[in-house]
């Protein structure tokens, strides 16, 4: 692209691209850098590039540069804080005693489900694990919804008793 054409394009589109970039990155200095890079990338295009709509092409380059800028900025962003403040950061890990209790209750639930009669276990699994409705379970197994509800009530009662009194 001849220098004269680039200069004319720069003068024609500089202002609106500068406003666009400043709005995107909220910093005039960064916007100015991105504006300059936009025109550098335009000049680097091969002569065979389709530049029938140069304005749209400039905006696409500018938009891609903004995206790249935020990707780089997001990776580098570090919050500096005094070492004394580190103790105030909340630990999101579940306390060990709660994790062990949950693990034990899950084990008891699995055992309770395994102890159920085959049909009750199947109904429980279809409804509570696979997410089928009462009607869907009833249709799938060829039984009434009332029967599904009775089996589920039996399964839930058995599971609750096993979890609440694991030593029985």
């Amino acid at each position: 692209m001849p220098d004269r054409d680039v200069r004319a394009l720069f003068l024609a589109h500089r202002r609106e691209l500068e406003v666009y970039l400043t709005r995107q990155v909220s910093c005039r200095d960064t916007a100015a850098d991105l504006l300059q890079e936009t025109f550098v990338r335009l000049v680097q295009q091969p002569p065979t590039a389709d530049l029938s709509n140069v304005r749209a092409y400039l905006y696409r380059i500018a938009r891609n540069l903004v995206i790249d800028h935020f990707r780089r900025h997001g990776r580098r962003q570090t919050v500096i804080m005094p070492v004394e403040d580190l103790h105030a950061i909340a630990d999101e890990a579940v306390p060990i005693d709660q994790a062990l209790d949950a693990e034990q209750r899950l084990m008891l639930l699995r055992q309770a489900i395994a102890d159920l009669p085959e049909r009750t276990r199947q109904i429980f699994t279809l409804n509570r694990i696979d997410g089928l409705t009462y009607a869907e379970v009833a249709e799938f197994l060829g039984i009434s919804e009332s029967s599904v509800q009775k089996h589920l009530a039996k399964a839930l009662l058995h599971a609750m008793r096993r979890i609440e009194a694991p030593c029985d």
Side-chain angles (χ1 to χ4, degrees), residues 54-70:
V54 177
R55 181 176 180 269
Y57 198 75
L58 285 167
Y59 269 92
R60 185 167 15 138
I61 293 170
R63 182 178 174 277
N64 289 340
L65 288 170
V66 167
I67 291 169
D68 291 345
H69 166 76
F70 282 118

PDB file of all heavy atoms in Angstrom, residues 54-70:
ATOM      1  N   VAL A  54     -12.207  -0.515   3.752  1.00  0.00           N
ATOM      2  CA  VAL A  54     -11.055  -0.263   4.610  1.00  0.00           C
ATOM      3  C   VAL A  54     -11.486   0.124   6.018  1.00  0.00           C
ATOM      4  O   VAL A  54     -10.884  -0.304   7.001  1.00  0.00           O
ATOM      5  CB  VAL A  54     -10.143   0.825   3.993  1.00  0.00           C
ATOM      6  CG1 VAL A  54      -8.989   1.139   4.906  1.00  0.00           C
ATOM      7  CG2 VAL A  54      -9.633   0.384   2.653  1.00  0.00           C
ATOM      8  N   ARG A  55     -12.542   0.892   6.143  1.00  0.00           N
ATOM      9  CA  ARG A  55     -12.996   1.320   7.467  1.00  0.00           C
ATOM     10  C   ARG A  55     -13.365   0.107   8.319  1.00  0.00           C
ATOM     11  O   ARG A  55     -12.944  -0.010   9.470  1.00  0.00           O
ATOM     12  CB  ARG A  55     -14.188   2.257   7.320  1.00  0.00           C
ATOM     13  CG  ARG A  55     -14.721   2.785   8.640  1.00  0.00           C
ATOM     14  CD  ARG A  55     -15.856   3.799   8.395  1.00  0.00           C
ATOM     15  NE  ARG A  55     -16.360   4.306   9.651  1.00  0.00           N
ATOM     16  CZ  ARG A  55     -17.374   3.754  10.321  1.00  0.00           C
ATOM     17  NH1 ARG A  55     -17.982   2.677   9.850  1.00  0.00           N
ATOM     18  NH2 ARG A  55     -17.770   4.272  11.458  1.00  0.00           N
ATOM     19  N   ALA A  56     -14.135  -0.808   7.779  1.00  0.00           N
ATOM     20  CA  ALA A  56     -14.521  -2.020   8.515  1.00  0.00           C
ATOM     21  C   ALA A  56     -13.285  -2.857   8.837  1.00  0.00           C
ATOM     22  O   ALA A  56     -13.182  -3.425   9.935  1.00  0.00           O
ATOM     23  CB  ALA A  56     -15.514  -2.836   7.695  1.00  0.00           C
ATOM     24  N   TYR A  57     -12.352  -2.911   7.909  1.00  0.00           N
ATOM     25  CA  TYR A  57     -11.122  -3.676   8.120  1.00  0.00           C
ATOM     26  C   TYR A  57     -10.308  -3.074   9.261  1.00  0.00           C
ATOM     27  O   TYR A  57      -9.790  -3.789  10.113  1.00  0.00           O
ATOM     28  CB  TYR A  57     -10.317  -3.709   6.817  1.00  0.00           C
ATOM     29  CG  TYR A  57      -9.278  -4.789   6.777  1.00  0.00           C
ATOM     30  CD1 TYR A  57      -9.639  -6.112   6.590  1.00  0.00           C
ATOM     31  CD2 TYR A  57      -7.932  -4.481   6.911  1.00  0.00           C
ATOM     32  CE1 TYR A  57      -8.691  -7.113   6.561  1.00  0.00           C
ATOM     33  CE2 TYR A  57      -6.970  -5.479   6.882  1.00  0.00           C
ATOM     34  CZ  TYR A  57      -7.356  -6.793   6.702  1.00  0.00           C
ATOM     35  OH  TYR A  57      -6.416  -7.785   6.672  1.00  0.00           O
ATOM     36  N   LEU A  58     -10.229  -1.737   9.322  1.00  0.00           N
ATOM     37  CA  LEU A  58      -9.515  -1.062  10.408  1.00  0.00           C
ATOM     38  C   LEU A  58     -10.177  -1.350  11.756  1.00  0.00           C
ATOM     39  O   LEU A  58      -9.499  -1.600  12.749  1.00  0.00           O
ATOM     40  CB  LEU A  58      -9.461   0.448  10.152  1.00  0.00           C
ATOM     41  CG  LEU A  58      -8.486   0.904   9.076  1.00  0.00           C
ATOM     42  CD1 LEU A  58      -8.753   2.361   8.711  1.00  0.00           C
ATOM     43  CD2 LEU A  58      -7.050   0.708   9.534  1.00  0.00           C
ATOM     44  N   TYR A  59     -11.499  -1.321  11.791  1.00  0.00           N
ATOM     45  CA  TYR A  59     -12.206  -1.612  13.037  1.00  0.00           C
ATOM     46  C   TYR A  59     -11.990  -3.063  13.472  1.00  0.00           C
ATOM     47  O   TYR A  59     -11.874  -3.342  14.663  1.00  0.00           O
ATOM     48  CB  TYR A  59     -13.706  -1.315  12.899  1.00  0.00           C
ATOM     49  CG  TYR A  59     -14.051   0.101  13.289  1.00  0.00           C
ATOM     50  CD1 TYR A  59     -14.092   1.120  12.342  1.00  0.00           C
ATOM     51  CD2 TYR A  59     -14.325   0.428  14.606  1.00  0.00           C
ATOM     52  CE1 TYR A  59     -14.395   2.415  12.700  1.00  0.00           C
ATOM     53  CE2 TYR A  59     -14.631   1.722  14.983  1.00  0.00           C
ATOM     54  CZ  TYR A  59     -14.662   2.709  14.024  1.00  0.00           C
ATOM     55  OH  TYR A  59     -14.951   4.004  14.393  1.00  0.00           O
ATOM     56  N   ARG A  60     -11.935  -3.986  12.509  1.00  0.00           N
ATOM     57  CA  ARG A  60     -11.695  -5.374  12.868  1.00  0.00           C
ATOM     58  C   ARG A  60     -10.288  -5.537  13.452  1.00  0.00           C
ATOM     59  O   ARG A  60     -10.101  -6.224  14.464  1.00  0.00           O
ATOM     60  CB  ARG A  60     -11.857  -6.292  11.662  1.00  0.00           C
ATOM     61  CG  ARG A  60     -11.720  -7.742  12.063  1.00  0.00           C
ATOM     62  CD  ARG A  60     -12.161  -8.750  11.037  1.00  0.00           C
ATOM     63  NE  ARG A  60     -12.332  -8.255   9.708  1.00  0.00           N
ATOM     64  CZ  ARG A  60     -11.943  -8.900   8.619  1.00  0.00           C
ATOM     65  NH1 ARG A  60     -11.367 -10.063   8.704  1.00  0.00           N
ATOM     66  NH2 ARG A  60     -12.153  -8.395   7.427  1.00  0.00           N
ATOM     67  N   ILE A  61      -9.305  -4.893  12.847  1.00  0.00           N
ATOM     68  CA  ILE A  61      -7.945  -4.946  13.386  1.00  0.00           C
ATOM     69  C   ILE A  61      -7.923  -4.351  14.791  1.00  0.00           C
ATOM     70  O   ILE A  61      -7.359  -4.935  15.725  1.00  0.00           O
ATOM     71  CB  ILE A  61      -6.955  -4.193  12.469  1.00  0.00           C
ATOM     72  CG1 ILE A  61      -6.795  -4.901  11.125  1.00  0.00           C
ATOM     73  CG2 ILE A  61      -5.594  -4.055  13.146  1.00  0.00           C
ATOM     74  CD1 ILE A  61      -6.014  -4.098  10.086  1.00  0.00           C
ATOM     75  N   ALA A  62      -8.551  -3.186  14.955  1.00  0.00           N
ATOM     76  CA  ALA A  62      -8.569  -2.509  16.260  1.00  0.00           C
ATOM     77  C   ALA A  62      -9.261  -3.376  17.313  1.00  0.00           C
ATOM     78  O   ALA A  62      -8.774  -3.511  18.440  1.00  0.00           O
ATOM     79  CB  ALA A  62      -9.260  -1.158  16.135  1.00  0.00           C
ATOM     80  N   ARG A  63     -10.363  -3.987  16.955  1.00  0.00           N
ATOM     81  CA  ARG A  63     -11.098  -4.840  17.895  1.00  0.00           C
ATOM     82  C   ARG A  63     -10.240  -6.028  18.321  1.00  0.00           C
ATOM     83  O   ARG A  63     -10.178  -6.371  19.507  1.00  0.00           O
ATOM     84  CB  ARG A  63     -12.391  -5.333  17.251  1.00  0.00           C
ATOM     85  CG  ARG A  63     -13.227  -6.182  18.160  1.00  0.00           C
ATOM     86  CD  ARG A  63     -14.542  -6.589  17.448  1.00  0.00           C
ATOM     87  NE  ARG A  63     -15.285  -7.505  18.255  1.00  0.00           N
ATOM     88  CZ  ARG A  63     -15.081  -8.824  18.308  1.00  0.00           C
ATOM     89  NH1 ARG A  63     -14.126  -9.363  17.597  1.00  0.00           N
ATOM     90  NH2 ARG A  63     -15.829  -9.597  19.061  1.00  0.00           N
ATOM     91  N   ASN A  64      -9.571  -6.651  17.366  1.00  0.00           N
ATOM     92  CA  ASN A  64      -8.697  -7.786  17.698  1.00  0.00           C
ATOM     93  C   ASN A  64      -7.546  -7.347  18.601  1.00  0.00           C
ATOM     94  O   ASN A  64      -7.150  -8.081  19.509  1.00  0.00           O
ATOM     95  CB  ASN A  64      -8.161  -8.441  16.427  1.00  0.00           C
ATOM     96  CG  ASN A  64      -9.241  -9.202  15.681  1.00  0.00           C
ATOM     97  OD1 ASN A  64     -10.272  -9.558  16.239  1.00  0.00           O
ATOM     98  ND2 ASN A  64      -9.013  -9.428  14.401  1.00  0.00           N
ATOM     99  N   LEU A  65      -7.021  -6.165  18.382  1.00  0.00           N
ATOM    100  CA  LEU A  65      -5.949  -5.658  19.235  1.00  0.00           C
ATOM    101  C   LEU A  65      -6.451  -5.398  20.658  1.00  0.00           C
ATOM    102  O   LEU A  65      -5.727  -5.636  21.628  1.00  0.00           O
ATOM    103  CB  LEU A  65      -5.340  -4.381  18.631  1.00  0.00           C
ATOM    104  CG  LEU A  65      -4.481  -4.599  17.387  1.00  0.00           C
ATOM    105  CD1 LEU A  65      -4.141  -3.262  16.736  1.00  0.00           C
ATOM    106  CD2 LEU A  65      -3.219  -5.370  17.720  1.00  0.00           C
ATOM    107  N   VAL A  66      -7.676  -4.915  20.777  1.00  0.00           N
ATOM    108  CA  VAL A  66      -8.267  -4.697  22.105  1.00  0.00           C
ATOM    109  C   VAL A  66      -8.406  -6.037  22.833  1.00  0.00           C
ATOM    110  O   VAL A  66      -8.062  -6.160  24.014  1.00  0.00           O
ATOM    111  CB  VAL A  66      -9.639  -3.982  21.999  1.00  0.00           C
ATOM    112  CG1 VAL A  66     -10.402  -4.038  23.316  1.00  0.00           C
ATOM    113  CG2 VAL A  66      -9.447  -2.542  21.555  1.00  0.00           C
ATOM    114  N   ILE A  67      -8.891  -7.039  22.130  1.00  0.00           N
ATOM    115  CA  ILE A  67      -9.037  -8.370  22.731  1.00  0.00           C
ATOM    116  C   ILE A  67      -7.677  -8.887  23.185  1.00  0.00           C
ATOM    117  O   ILE A  67      -7.531  -9.375  24.313  1.00  0.00           O
ATOM    118  CB  ILE A  67      -9.704  -9.344  21.735  1.00  0.00           C
ATOM    119  CG1 ILE A  67     -11.165  -8.947  21.522  1.00  0.00           C
ATOM    120  CG2 ILE A  67      -9.593 -10.790  22.223  1.00  0.00           C
ATOM    121  CD1 ILE A  67     -11.852  -9.656  20.374  1.00  0.00           C
ATOM    122  N   ASP A  68      -6.674  -8.771  22.319  1.00  0.00           N
ATOM    123  CA  ASP A  68      -5.316  -9.211  22.683  1.00  0.00           C
ATOM    124  C   ASP A  68      -4.793  -8.438  23.888  1.00  0.00           C
ATOM    125  O   ASP A  68      -4.156  -9.005  24.777  1.00  0.00           O
ATOM    126  CB  ASP A  68      -4.352  -9.034  21.508  1.00  0.00           C
ATOM    127  CG  ASP A  68      -4.633 -10.000  20.371  1.00  0.00           C
ATOM    128  OD1 ASP A  68      -5.373 -10.989  20.590  1.00  0.00           O
ATOM    129  OD2 ASP A  68      -4.122  -9.766  19.254  1.00  0.00           O
ATOM    130  N   HIS A  69      -5.070  -7.139  23.925  1.00  0.00           N
ATOM    131  CA  HIS A  69      -4.621  -6.305  25.036  1.00  0.00           C
ATOM    132  C   HIS A  69      -5.202  -6.817  26.359  1.00  0.00           C
ATOM    133  O   HIS A  69      -4.480  -6.971  27.346  1.00  0.00           O
ATOM    134  CB  HIS A  69      -5.036  -4.846  24.807  1.00  0.00           C
ATOM    135  CG  HIS A  69      -4.926  -3.989  26.024  1.00  0.00           C
ATOM    136  ND1 HIS A  69      -3.728  -3.525  26.497  1.00  0.00           N
ATOM    137  CD2 HIS A  69      -5.876  -3.535  26.879  1.00  0.00           C
ATOM    138  CE1 HIS A  69      -3.944  -2.816  27.598  1.00  0.00           C
ATOM    139  NE2 HIS A  69      -5.244  -2.803  27.843  1.00  0.00           N
ATOM    140  N   PHE A  70      -6.508  -7.087  26.381  1.00  0.00           N
ATOM    141  CA  PHE A  70      -7.137  -7.543  27.625  1.00  0.00           C
ATOM    142  C   PHE A  70      -6.677  -8.948  28.002  1.00  0.00           C
ATOM    143  O   PHE A  70      -6.577  -9.265  29.183  1.00  0.00           O
ATOM    144  CB  PHE A  70      -8.656  -7.456  27.538  1.00  0.00           C
ATOM    145  CG  PHE A  70      -9.153  -6.054  27.733  1.00  0.00           C
ATOM    146  CD1 PHE A  70      -9.842  -5.397  26.728  1.00  0.00           C
ATOM    147  CD2 PHE A  70      -8.912  -5.374  28.911  1.00  0.00           C
ATOM    148  CE1 PHE A  70     -10.285  -4.099  26.907  1.00  0.00           C
ATOM    149  CE2 PHE A  70      -9.354  -4.079  29.103  1.00  0.00           C
ATOM    150  CZ  PHE A  70     -10.035  -3.428  28.097  1.00  0.00           C
TER     151      PHE A  70
END
